[in-house]
């Protein structure tokens, strides 16, 4: 039996906590800091995800066997290395890569160079800093349009601009490098070719040598119906992705997943945990848009519900090097999640709105994962841009989405907003 500590506080972590709590191997589950949803799956504690000393002390005190890291921040900051350097925690299984390997997400330039070295298909690119600013300007002026400008480091999902004119591209480039729009994160900038196609998210659990694939998903990032308006953290997701099968999926495995895992091994990058391949299907060929070193949000809210295998079993297979012999069992039903957000998001929005009807939204095929929600006496209040993710199963994507949209009618708070067209291409 295993004691688990899960870090994070969003919808992704509620979905992970929900899944972990069902494991036959789960003894005690702690979530730090968690949200009111995760408190129904285990015990919330309040240690910050970057307070490594306090987290290590907690792991010792509660005899934690597995530390599952939800968000990227502590991974890029080196939580894996910190725990592994502590002799008193030598048996702790950390689900998350070393700081060096987390650079696959933490530095776009690092990820691009890794892909180049390992022959992994990705958009053509160049990287620039203050040192070669003039060269960067010339490169942009001569680049075809649209052109993609990316801050190298973590920028909370705001560091990518797809510029449709050279003026916009130059302005963005200078804001990032000269005006340090994202501080250190934009002191280096990647300029890359625009790829046209449909995106999807593919997930693996790996130990840096072997891997097992989880169900794939597609997320919907734009705020408006029909994929219009500003980018958000994610307005919904569906799984499966109908085109992620047969020949295309074989190419994903042979051209992307295997060369990535082999590259980690060859380059001595210590990697345990989830790899998130952000892919784009360009006329039947997969290209990598980005790597993330953690699960996606809101993708996790459809991936975990479709995963039938015991998640702790998969973590143990990762640790014990038996992933190659592990069959991942997947629910044959479709799943969708529709994210309810605060009115105004991703711009300014108000928090603290009273939420009613959450309990009434549950049914035998629908559940609600909490994201930006906090408990105050006996009420639930909105506490973020993304408030909740309403996940449903269905015999088709269309029916799953219809079930979530119907369930959302029961949930009320001032200025509630959501998209009704998640999965629209697949109906
Ligand atoms: P990223 O933060 O790298 O995931 O980029 C955010 C979003 O920008 C992606 O999900 C894509 O929709 C888009 N994007 C990034 N790079 C490219 C590219 N080279 N071509 C087309 N779209 C891109
Ligand atoms: N859904 C995209 C992400 O988690 O980065």
């Amino acid at each position: 039996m295993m004691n688990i500590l899960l870090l994070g506080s969003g919808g992704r972590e509620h979905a992970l906590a929900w899944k972990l709590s069902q494991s036959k191997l789960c003894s005690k589950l702690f979530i730090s800091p968690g949200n009111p949803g995760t408190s129904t799956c285990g015990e919330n504690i309040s240690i910050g995800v970057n307070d490594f000393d306090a987290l290590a002390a907690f792991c010792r005190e509660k005899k934690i066997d597995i530390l599952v890291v939800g968000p990227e921040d502590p991974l890029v900051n080196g939580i894996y290395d910190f725990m592994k350097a502590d002799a008193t925690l030598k048996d702790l299984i950390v689900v998350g890569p070393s700081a060096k390997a987390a650079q696959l997400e933490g530095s776009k330039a690092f990820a691009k160079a890794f892909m180049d070295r390992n022959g992994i298909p990705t958009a053509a690119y160049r990287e620039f800093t203050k040192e070669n600013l003039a060269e960067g300007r010339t490169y942009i002026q001569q680049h075809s349009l649209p052109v993609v400008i990316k801050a190298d480091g973590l920028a909370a999902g705001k560091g990518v601009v797809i510029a449709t004119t050279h003026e916009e591209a130059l302005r963005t480039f200078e804001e990032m490098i000269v005006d340090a729009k994202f501080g250190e994160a934009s002191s280096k900038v990647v300029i890359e070719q625009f790829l046209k196609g449909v995106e999807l998210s593919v997930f693996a659990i790996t130990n840096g040598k072997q891997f097992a694939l989880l169900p794939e998903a597609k997320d919907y990032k734009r705020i408006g119906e029909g994929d219009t308006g500003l980018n958000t953290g994610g307005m919904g997701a569906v799984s499966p992705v109908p085109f992620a099968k047969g020949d295309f999926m074989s190419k994903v495995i042979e051209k992307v997943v295997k060369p990535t895992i082999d590259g980690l091994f060859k380059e001595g990058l210590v990697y345990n945990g989830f790899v998130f391949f952000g892919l784009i299907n360009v006329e039947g060929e997969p290209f990598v848009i980005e790597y993330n070193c953690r699960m996606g949000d809101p993708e996790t809210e459809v991936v975990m519900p479709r995963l039938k295998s015991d998640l702790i079993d998969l973590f143990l297979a990762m640790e014990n090097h038996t992933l190659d012999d592990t069959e991942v069992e997947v629910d044959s039903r479709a799943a969708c999640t529709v994210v309810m957000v605060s009115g105004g998001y991703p711009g300014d929005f108000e928090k603290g709105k009273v939420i009613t009807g959450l309990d009434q939204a549950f049914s035998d095929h629908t559940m609600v994962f909490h994201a930006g929600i906090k408990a105050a006496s006996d009420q639930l209040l909105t506490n973020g841009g993304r408030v909740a993710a309403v996940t449903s199963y269905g015999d088709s994507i269309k029916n799953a989405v219809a079930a979530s949209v119907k369930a959302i009618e029961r949930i009320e708070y001032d200025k509630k907003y959501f998209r009704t067209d998640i999965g629209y291409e697949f109906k």
Side-chain angles (χ1 to χ4, degrees):
M1 293 297 282
M2 302 277 148
N3 292 330
I4 318 271
L5 172 59
L6 167 66
L7 301 186
S9 61
R12 167 180 53 208
E13 284 73 25
H14 187 185
L16 287 168
W18 170 82
K19 182 69 185 164
L20 288 166
S21 68
Q22 294 166 44
S23 168
K24 58 186 185 306
L25 296 167
C26 184
S27 176
K28 194 94 178 86
L29 171 64
F30 298 94
I31 309 95
S32 195
N35 62 37
T38 62
S39 74
T40 65
C41 309
E43 184 181 334
N44 287 350
I45 58 164
S46 55
I47 306 175
V49 297
N50 285 306
D51 189 349
F52 298 169
D53 279 314
L55 291 170
F58 184 84
C59 288
R60 268 190 299 273
E61 183 196 328
K62 299 291 180 186
K63 301 192 165 40
I64 297 296
D65 299 290
I66 309 182
L67 172 64
V68 184
V69 185
E72 62 277 17
D73 230 43
L75 292 166
V76 171
N77 291 339
I79 193 166
Y80 175 92
D81 313 78
F82 185 93
M83 297 297 168
K84 288 291 157 186
D86 186 330
T88 66
L89 295 173
K90 66 177 182 359
D91 295 328
L92 179 69
I93 299 172
V94 181
V95 180
S98 65
K100 187 119 190 268
Q103 286 300 299
L104 284 179
E105 173 164 3
S107 163
K108 298 205 187 280
F110 179 92
K112 296 295 284 190
F114 174 88
M115 288 186 262
D116 263 7
R117 284 195 299 276
N118 291 287
I120 296 161
T122 188
Y125 82 107
R126 287 276 307 272
E127 60 181 76
F128 298 97
T129 62
K130 266 203 169 92
E131 266 69 71
N132 55 355
L133 193 66
E135 212 183 315
R137 286 198 190 101
T138 313
Y139 185 74
I140 288 175
Q141 264 148 353
Q142 293 168 353
H143 203 290
S144 59
L145 292 172
V147 54
V148 185
I149 321 281
K150 298 185 171 183
D152 177 55
L154 295 181
K158 300 198 168 77
V160 175
V161 173
I162 296 170
T164 49
T165 65
H166 288 113
E167 293 68 39
E168 184 191 1
L170 282 172
R171 194 171 59 242
T172 306
F173 179 66
E174 305 215 347
E175 276 169 8
M176 287 189 185
I177 294 195
V178 183
D179 309 338
K181 183 164 182 193
F182 301 105
E184 191 46 34
S186 65
S187 61
K188 193 184 272 179
V189 168
V190 166
I191 310 284
E192 78 180 29
Q193 170 202 14
F194 176 79
L195 297 175
K196 199 165 162 40
V198 186
E199 288 177 59
L200 81 158
S201 307
V202 168
F203 301 95
I205 294 184
T206 186
N207 47 31
K209 283 193 194 124
Q210 307 165 313
F211 67 90
L213 287 185
L214 300 176
E216 77 287 351
K218 179 173 193 302
D219 86 337
Y220 293 79
K221 288 205 174 89
R222 302 294 200 92
I223 187 72
E225 304 267 324
D227 287 335
T228 53
L230 294 174
N231 256 326
T232 69
M235 296 298 293
V238 299
S239 178
V241 179
F243 64 81
K245 55 181 190 229
D247 195 33
F248 179 76
M249 216 45 203
S250 304
K251 286 181 186 165
V252 168
I253 293 167
E254 296 303 324
K255 296 186 175 183
V256 175
V257 180
K258 283 187 181 166
T260 299
I261 308 299
D262 290 348
L264 292 171
F265 183 70
K266 270 199 309 239
E267 300 191 11
L269 294 167
V270 177
Y271 206 117
N272 267 325
F274 299 109
V275 195
F276 168 157
F277 301 87
L279 305 180
I280 189 161
N281 175 351
V282 184
E283 292 168 6
E285 290 296 324
F287 285 77
V288 177
I289 294 272
E290 62 167 349
Y291 288 113
N292 294 310
C293 57
R294 43 142 183 111
M295 286 300 291
D297 195 350
E299 289 98 323
T300 308
E301 292 94 305
V302 290
V303 172
M304 288 303 136
R306 289 196 68 229
L307 180 66
K308 278 171 67 181
S309 302
D310 186 311
L311 186 55
I312 297 181
D313 268 342
L314 293 178
F315 292 155
L316 293 179
M318 171 192 89
E319 185 70 10
N320 299 328
H321 290 265
T322 55
L323 273 177
D324 277 351
D325 312 320
T326 303
E327 179 116 11
V328 176
E329 280 182 76
V330 177
D331 196 313
S332 59
R333 288 174 293 175
C336 86
T337 196
V338 178
V339 177
M340 304 179 68
V341 304
S342 298
Y345 173 81
D348 293 340
F349 57 87
E350 291 166 17
K351 296 183 189 175
K353 310 288 188 190
V354 176
I355 305 169
T356 58
L358 265 189
D359 291 345
Q360 287 73 48
F362 283 76
S363 69
D364 59 354
H365 54 271
T366 296
M367 60 197 139
V368 182
F369 294 116
H370 291 211
I373 295 184
K374 75 171 180 196
S377 54
D378 57 352
Q379 285 183 320
L380 292 176
L381 305 178
T382 65
N383 193 38
R386 290 192 288 174
V387 173
V390 180
T391 294
S392 299
Y393 294 104
D395 55 10
S396 65
I397 289 174
K398 182 175 178 207
N399 288 342
V401 175
S404 282
V405 167
K406 192 152 178 40
I408 287 176
E409 284 170 14
R410 304 214 167 90
I411 305 173
E412 290 302 338
Y413 55 86
D414 185 31
K415 301 198 176 70
K416 114 181 164 186
Y417 175 77
F418 62 99
R419 275 178 64 173
T420 62
D421 70 337
I422 298 305
Y424 66 89
E425 323 90 306
F426 307 128
K427 285 182 178 172

